[in-house]
Amino acid sequence: MVTIHRGELMRMDIFNLKEHPHRRYNPLTREWILVSPHRAERPWRGQVQEQPRKERPPYDPTCYLCPGNERAGGVRNPVYTNTFVFDNDFPALLPNTPNGLAGKEELLIAESERGICRVICFSPRHDLTLAEMDRADIRKVVHVWIEQYLELGALPSIRYVQIFENKGEMMGCSNPHPHGQIWASQTIPQEPAKECVSLTDYWYTKGSCLLCNYLALEEDRQERIVCQDAHFLALVPFWAIWPFETILISRRHVASLDGLNHLERVSLADLLKRLTTRYDNLFETSFPYSMGFHQQPTDGQEYPEWHLHVHFYPPLLRSATVRKFMVGYEMLASPQRDLSPEATAKRLRALSETHYKSRCKR
Ligand code: H2U
Ligand code: ZN
């Protein structure tokens, strides 16, 4: 059968992921996403603005994260030379909130939440990002992430340590100085909790790891892989929501950052540089994203089913300024994408791993 659809002829008789609208299942969150590949070429009337390239100085006297500068509340940063960690001056979670439940009504449930929020400066240099930092310096960031995970995770009141980076104004990041955050909480937050249920269920019903099996499938297909080495693999997941979303997965079945051996830590730093460089090269801009680690909870229980991974959720769609919005159908019904994960993986795969800024300098 041939159907006329928006002026185009489409073969509708054999279902095909490249052409036909379909739903994809995310086995980690157990949620569905609508994929509409036939819309990928639809006309775009939105404005495409050229973004002026803003060069930043290596030190900014007005930046609250630069070495030696004053933060809100009057605390002064040390003149740090590598990484620097401090307790967030405006923490979303407090360590001494009284424990308790509020409301006796079944439909009005609330409970207190304790935690600790920290900020990690990745580098003393105001003008760098992970993509532009030296590999040796990114290794220091990996080291701090591991230290923090262990230190905060060892506290009896902390059951989950969420390490993340919000990058770019588009993501609501308040400062371009390279930095990330940690929110360590008394309960396991929603997103890792969803993954926890799926990983545990899969482990005990199938007797193997969901992500180990997924990696094997992706290696077999080769369609969605972006870059890889002997220890880590970056790919656009089959169920990606954001156009250029990726997931970075350790090849070995390791439950948390501290389980990585020396070579794997070096590899993680290297893959972070390679992937973020590809991202910057995509639209020759400092590519905005939210990224973060998902790893085993720190509540003292054993989690043999957990498999360390990093999610990258970038909002950009077709240029340095045109982003994907999660509105309308996405808010009310289900996430949706036009460009297929296979198409965006192909684009990311084709990009250079030499940062565009260093290419221009030559
Ligand atoms: P974001 O740019 O990703 O929002 O991270 C900056 C964090 O830094 C933010 O959580 C904190 C904010 O609360 N901050 C301080 O701790 N001290 C300051 O002087 C300003 C901002
Ligand atoms: Zn700075």
Side-chain angles (χ1 to χ4, degrees), residues 3-209:
T3 303
I4 294 174
H5 180 89
R6 294 167 69 96
E8 290 168 26
L9 292 180
M10 272 209 307
R11 280 183 61 88
M12 294 299 282
D13 46 357
I14 306 162
F15 171 57
N16 163 355
L17 287 181
K18 286 198 172 116
E19 283 177 69
H20 301 139
H22 59 277
R23 297 201 301 159
R24 292 191 186 193
Y25 181 65
N26 180 341
L28 276 176
T29 59
R30 303 184 164 190
E31 289 162 350
W32 292 86
I33 170 193
L34 178 63
V35 184
S36 315
H38 61 294
R39 285 172 96 221
E41 298 308 321
R42 79 188 199 279
W44 170 257
R45 291 224 193 89
Q47 230 184 341
V48 181
Q49 292 164 342
E50 272 302 305
Q51 212 190 27
R53 282 200 189 154
K54 293 177 228 151
E55 287 302 325
R56 298 203 305 269
Y59 168 75
D60 177 349
T62 67
C63 166
Y64 61 80
L65 296 177
C66 272
N69 289 0
E70 198 174 290
R71 300 204 305 274
V75 186
R76 195 166 282 281
N77 296 327
V79 185
Y80 63 94
T81 50
N82 292 303
T83 55
F84 170 52
V85 183
F86 62 92
D87 282 332
N88 198 312
D89 299 306
F90 307 98
L93 295 161
L94 300 167
N96 48 5
T97 303
N99 268 324
L101 297 170
K104 295 183 186 71
E105 306 289 339
E106 202 187 336
L107 297 179
L108 300 173
I109 298 168
E111 60 182 30
S112 64
E113 178 77 9
R114 286 186 182 176
I116 296 173
C117 298
R118 291 186 174 159
V119 178
I120 305 177
C121 297
F122 295 161
S123 159
R125 286 271 304 268
H126 185 80
D127 57 337
L128 297 183
T129 61
L130 282 179
E132 295 160 273
M133 283 168 61
D134 289 341
R135 284 173 165 77
D137 291 333
I138 304 176
R139 272 181 237 151
K140 291 175 190 157
V141 178
V142 170
H143 180 76
V144 174
W145 283 331
I146 297 171
E147 265 184 358
Q148 290 294 317
Y149 173 74
L150 289 174
E151 184 188 316
L152 293 165
L155 298 173
S157 61
I158 297 301
R159 296 194 174 82
Y160 199 80
V161 180
Q162 183 58 61
I163 299 172
F164 64 99
E165 180 193 3
N166 245 356
K167 177 171 175 266
E169 273 170 52
M170 204 175 265
M171 298 309 288
C173 179
S174 60
N175 188 328
H177 192 112
H179 70 284
Q181 295 193 49
I182 300 183
W183 294 18
S185 55
Q186 186 182 6
T187 61
I188 305 173
Q190 201 148 283
E191 292 304 312
K194 279 189 241 168
E195 293 191 0
C196 210
V197 169
S198 312
L199 289 170
T200 308
D201 202 27
Y202 195 95
W203 183 264
Y204 290 105
T205 54
K206 309 242 184 210
S208 54
C209 166

Side-chain angles (χ1 to χ4, degrees), residues 225-252:
I225 295 177
V226 176
C227 53
Q228 57 183 308
D229 70 6
H231 307 288
F232 276 88
L233 203 140
L235 54 99
V236 179
F238 180 73
W239 52 82
I241 290 177
W242 297 94
F244 293 95
E245 177 178 332
T246 54
I247 186 168
L248 180 58
I249 312 177
S250 64
R251 283 187 189 274
R252 196 160 63 84

